[in-house]
Amino acid sequence: MKKINEVVTLLLLLSVLVTGCGSSVVNGKKDNAGEGNDAGKTITVGFSQLGAESDWRNTNTQSMLDAFDGDGYTLIYKNGQQKQSNQITAIRMFIQQEVDYIVLAPATETGWDSVLSEAKEAGIPVIIVDRRVDVADKNLYSCWVGSDFELEGRKVAAWIKAYTEGQGIDPSDLHIVNIQGSLGSTAQLGRTRGLANAARENGWEILAEESGDFTETKGREVMTSLLKRYDNINIVYCENDNEAIGAIDAIESAGKKVGSDIKHGEIMVVSFDAVNEQAIQYAREGKISCIAECNPLHGPRVKALIETIEAGGTPEKFNYVDERIFSSVPDVNVIIVDGITYTVDAPPETQSAADASSSG
Ligand code: AHR
């Protein structure tokens, strides 16, 4: 009997070992657990994405899904549909599910203190991606990775300054409208600040600031109404490419010409992202005069941060991504912001070319 018991115990032990090192369900697929994580365990990540408002956002979501597809990870993805309340519900669900990490791409900066305290109490590390959270206690999250949105805005403003000075245009002759992103988001706050400060310093006129919510539809709608209110707009600062596409459509539908020749009545459009293929094409054609890159490929970066934590390390709190600036207008080759020189590159030939050279 003792012998039989020993054999059964051995078999049970073997089956546990085999299951532990063998296949597990990762993102709905069979995968060999243990390949990506030394401990051979599956790490569950709850990802609260804010929405699907733009091409940038969809590329960012895909980057996360790809990075955590297999390799010992399970990603639970929740789309917040542009509502912070949905994101808070998703985080609470992740806490209940006892995920190993929570990744949050927040819609707005404020309003996260309570739910992030709940995650901290549950002992779940939180990684913030893309936009920032404004919380009283910075220890409520482990780290953040994303863009310097104000720098992006300052780069575009520096390009406008260099270009218009080169053309001999008086600063007081610049009449700008700002189609802002979703109000209260870091991308909107930073880009709006970048332009507003430059306008004040240089004596440019900002005729209006109105939100286009980072969408093509709102960009078109806002531009249509701005053209009815003002007849002297010569620069349209769109806080993302989708808005720019909508705004260009509105300008052309009103019978006006888009381009950099503002001395001869063209309306100049500048933008952010360089992700949408049509926007990149517009930049090549000169319909968008200048685009500051906003890099969406954060999946592998978030994964690297998790791996640092898994290995017992402490990642840097704030992790900024390097970004470029594009224009096909020949006159400005470099811009200088805060003493740093940035080369102005030709718009990439394709979106995948942009992705390939910006994945670092
Ligand atoms: O937070 C990043 C911004 O959000 C991107 O510039 C915009 O396209 C997106 O919706």
Side-chain angles (χ1 to χ4, degrees):
M1 191 63 187
K2 194 171 168 237
K3 199 91 188 146
I4 293 173
N5 278 344
E6 274 171 11
V7 171
V8 168
T9 311
L10 198 70
L11 282 174
L12 274 174
L13 208 71
L14 267 174
S15 83
V16 167
L17 281 172
V18 167
T19 316
C21 300
S23 63
S24 60
V25 177
V26 179
N27 280 344
K29 293 182 192 153
K30 286 275 184 195
D31 191 81
N32 287 331
E35 273 182 11
N37 308 297
D38 294 343
K41 63 178 181 179
T42 294
I43 295 175
T44 304
V45 178
F47 173 39
S48 168
Q49 175 61 285
L50 67 95
E53 75 284 3
S54 65
D55 291 86
W56 188 100
R57 186 66 50 202
N58 296 337
T59 306
N60 175 248
T61 300
Q62 196 54 51
S63 171
M64 285 290 293
L65 295 176
D66 291 346
F68 291 97
D69 184 6
D71 221 9
Y73 285 95
T74 297
L75 186 86
I76 309 170
Y77 162 70
K78 290 303 269 179
N79 179 342
Q81 318 275 3
Q82 300 273 77
K83 286 202 181 81
Q84 185 182 40
S85 55
N86 290 343
Q87 292 200 275
I88 290 174
T89 305
I91 293 172
R92 294 210 164 112
M93 188 193 83
F94 296 151
I95 295 171
Q96 263 180 11
Q97 290 173 317
E98 299 182 353
V99 299
D100 298 299
Y101 291 88
I102 291 172
V103 178
L104 168 65
T108 53
E109 288 198 347
T110 55
W112 300 102
D113 296 74
S114 304
V115 76
L116 294 191
S117 302
E118 291 165 35
K120 193 172 169 65
E121 266 161 42
I124 302 172
V126 174
I127 294 174
I128 309 292
V129 64
D130 172 28
R131 304 171 184 176
R132 304 268 279 254
V133 291
D134 181 8
V135 283
D137 177 4
K138 295 269 178 290
N139 292 320
L140 291 183
Y141 60 93
S142 301
C143 54
W144 163 88
V145 60
S147 306
D148 185 336
F149 299 107
E150 187 165 342
L151 176 62
E152 292 173 354
R154 297 178 70 200
K155 282 182 185 169
V156 171
W159 186 90
I160 293 173
K161 182 175 159 69
Y163 173 75
T164 52
E165 280 179 359
Q167 293 280 307
I169 300 168
D170 195 273
S172 64
D173 287 336
L174 298 194
H175 309 294
I176 307 171
V177 292
N178 179 4
I179 305 186
Q180 299 167 294
S182 305
L183 298 181
S185 68
T186 316
Q188 177 272 311
L189 294 167
R191 291 170 187 165
T192 296
R193 213 165 25 234
L195 174 68
N197 289 340
R200 205 179 37 252
E201 286 157 19
N202 294 298
W204 306 337
E205 181 181 30
I206 297 196
L207 293 165
E209 290 179 331
E210 214 166 297
S211 175
D213 239 346
F214 287 128
T215 68
E216 183 176 329
T217 309
K218 277 293 286 278
R220 183 180 295 106
E221 211 175 282
V222 170
M223 191 68 222
T224 303
S225 98
L226 289 171
L227 285 166
K228 287 183 184 143
R229 288 211 315 263
Y230 304 99
D231 61 5
N232 59 344
I233 300 169
N234 51 17
I235 298 185
V236 185
Y237 180 94
C238 296
E239 291 189 359
N240 83 344
D241 281 342
N242 291 81
E243 290 178 347
I245 291 167
I248 289 169
D249 192 25
I251 295 167
E252 291 179 338
S253 301
K256 296 182 190 293
K257 193 146 188 275
V258 177
S260 57
D261 192 3
I262 55 181
K263 278 211 276 199
H264 296 99
E266 289 186 348
I267 297 182
M268 175 191 281
V269 174
V270 294
S271 179
F272 297 84
D273 285 355
V275 171
N276 175 293
E277 184 54 54
Q278 188 177 3
I280 296 174
Q281 176 61 27
Y282 279 169
R284 285 194 289 265
E285 292 168 7
K287 281 193 179 188
I288 298 181
S289 294
C290 169
I291 304 184
E293 180 190 23
C294 183
N295 188 310
L297 305 177
H298 295 322
R301 299 179 182 121
V302 172
K303 193 174 174 189
L305 292 168
I306 290 178
E307 278 163 10
T308 301
I309 298 172
E310 283 293 300
T314 308
E316 289 289 320
K317 189 86 184 177
F318 300 104
N319 301 276
Y320 289 95
V321 174
D322 284 338
E323 292 171 330
R324 297 160 297 169
I325 178 159
F326 301 112
S327 174
S328 61
V329 181
D331 318 27
V332 183
N333 298 320
V334 293
I335 49 157
I336 300 174
V337 180
D338 279 341
I340 298 173
T341 303
Y342 298 90
T343 308
V344 179
D345 293 324
E349 281 308 308
T350 57
Q351 193 216 324
S352 44
D355 289 354
S357 59
S358 65
S359 52

